[in-house]
Amino acid sequence: LERVFEKEDFNIAQILGQFNLGFIVTRVRDDLFIMDQHACDEIYRFETLHRTTKIHEQKLIRPLPIDLSASEVQVVMDNMDVFEKNGFRFQVNENTDETNTLKLSLVAIPHSFKVEFGADDVRELASILRDNPAVAQVKSKTCLRNPKQYFMPLLPKTRAMFASRACRGAIMIGTALEYRTMVKEIRNLATIDRPWNCPHGRPTMRHLLDLEHFYKKRNLDSSYFKFS
């Protein structure tokens, strides 16, 4: 049995109530769904952080030369916006050696009180961009017109920081919710890019029941089971 649930369906989902202080029961047309209140709020907070957070930079006392391959240097040069938005800034040495390769030095790195960043992270981000060239289209017209449709590639360290912050701030299991809070939480999911799982992989929703099948199987008149 398959169900097609579009993001726009979060805007029409009827909120039936809260179950076990951890889940929101909703109805979309003739189907019932159960939403994980923590996972739903967590992914909304995560994508908001991803989209709006400016990563702080720490300027270095002097440029730090980094040993990159020619292909890695090319990836950095082609995607300088991505590296700068991740908190890295470079000094480009126009002098070339016998390999005719540009030399780069770090002049600023991302700053966090709990996580250290360095040259290895430049290589890791270059690898992410090289292996997934489609995600690096920062300057595409689509992204400029619709920034919510584009997510800047992040280092795993940075993604983990955002996920941890979103998790700590999200509505917890065991919290009683008012009706308006449940409505807001479900409607929020229609505004983000990937509402189907929290940053740690937990599904935000599950299908509970096909009401039409339920009524037919029991020879019931569905008109007696309208939700107000």
Side-chain angles (χ1 to χ4, degrees), residues 131-150:
D131 295 340
N132 301 278
V135 304
Q137 304 302 315
V138 170
K139 298 178 182 178
S140 73
K141 293 182 180 179
T142 300
C143 296
L144 291 174
R145 288 196 307 265
N146 302 297
K148 289 187 177 182
Q149 294 182 5
Y150 172 76

Side-chain angles (χ1 to χ4, degrees), residues 27-103:
R27 178 179 182 175
V28 177
R29 292 175 286 274
D30 288 325
D31 292 287
L32 296 186
F33 295 88
I34 190 167
M35 313 283 188
D36 184 319
Q37 66 188 42
H38 177 74
C40 290
D41 196 33
E42 184 180 353
I43 188 57
Y44 174 74
R45 289 172 180 267
F46 173 79
E47 289 204 10
T48 300
L49 285 170
H50 192 171
R51 189 181 301 116
T52 62
T53 301
K54 177 177 173 55
I55 299 176
H56 295 290
E57 300 173 3
Q58 177 179 315
K59 293 184 178 180
L60 303 181
I61 297 176
R62 59 173 175 263
L64 174 65
I66 51 176
D67 185 19
L68 301 176
S69 67
S71 63
E72 289 172 333
V73 171
Q74 190 62 51
V75 171
V76 173
M77 298 301 294
D78 289 345
N79 300 280
M80 191 64 75
D81 285 355
V82 175
F83 283 90
E84 291 181 352
K85 289 177 181 178
N86 271 275
F88 296 101
R89 292 196 179 272
F90 300 91
Q91 174 181 290
V92 180
N93 184 355
E94 298 296 343
N95 296 323
T96 58
D97 55 20
E98 63 275 7
T99 64
N100 201 34
T101 302
L102 287 174
K103 297 296 184 181

